[in-house]
Amino acid sequence: IVWCTAQGPRIASRRPQDRSVEATDMVALLTQYAEGALDLPADAAALPSVDRILVMGSTGLLKAFQTAMKGVLQPLFKPSVKAIATVGSPMQCMMKGVCAQCLQWQIDPATGLRTRAVFSCAEQDQPLAWVDLENLAARQGQNRLLERLSNQWLSIVLDRAASRKGGA
């Protein structure tokens, strides 16, 4: 396992074959891995032997992987590799398909057409090539105003609590 964070403290790797790195470009990181630039042990898994890739992160990261799996990363993996994306769609009810707040379109990679809508709360991990990332970004954008207001309110509450502690 290569544990990667974009910034801040690295994730502690507990096994000798694992690595912990700080990087912001995951596609470049995988390319470096394939080139042997990560100081991996001799018995580290070669990318052509990988069966599954799980991509968890921002919509931008998913888009970068979706594009790279058709381009620069394609020759590094076997054709049958399963790339899975964790879809962070807005969710409200948490009851697996009741409110439709998390409804997410999937696109058939062969035709480029939307084929079906899925409840991402019930099916959060989806085939990377099928995820309609433009739809996902639009759905996430619907929550930006509420997120900003919530963050401002939280800052006010925390500032008041801190000032009360200091004055008490």
Side-chain angles (χ1 to χ4, degrees), residues 37-146:
L38 294 183
D39 186 34
L40 298 169
D43 61 346
L47 293 184
S49 70
V50 171
D51 295 319
R52 289 185 183 93
I53 302 167
L54 177 60
V55 184
M56 295 189 306
S58 68
T59 306
L61 176 68
L62 298 179
K63 182 69 172 170
F65 264 86
Q66 203 176 58
T67 302
M69 290 303 290
K70 298 175 194 168
V72 296
L73 293 181
Q74 186 178 27
L76 303 180
F77 294 98
K78 58 183 158 188
S80 63
V81 69
K82 291 184 181 179
I84 305 296
T86 297
V87 177
S89 186
M91 296 182 207
Q92 183 173 317
C93 70
M94 304 307 286
M95 296 179 68
K96 305 227 186 260
V98 171
C99 73
Q101 177 72 20
C102 66
L103 208 58
Q104 174 63 39
W105 281 103
Q106 289 187 337
I107 294 177
D108 182 339
T111 65
L113 300 173
R114 286 183 173 172
T115 56
R116 70 180 190 129
V118 297
F119 292 101
S120 61
C121 64
E123 197 174 331
Q124 207 166 10
D125 295 332
Q126 301 175 28
L128 176 63
W130 284 77
V131 180
D132 183 344
L133 293 169
E134 289 179 20
N135 175 250
L136 177 60
R139 294 300 302 265
Q140 291 171 334
Q142 293 172 347
N143 286 357
R144 285 201 180 100
L145 177 60
L146 290 175

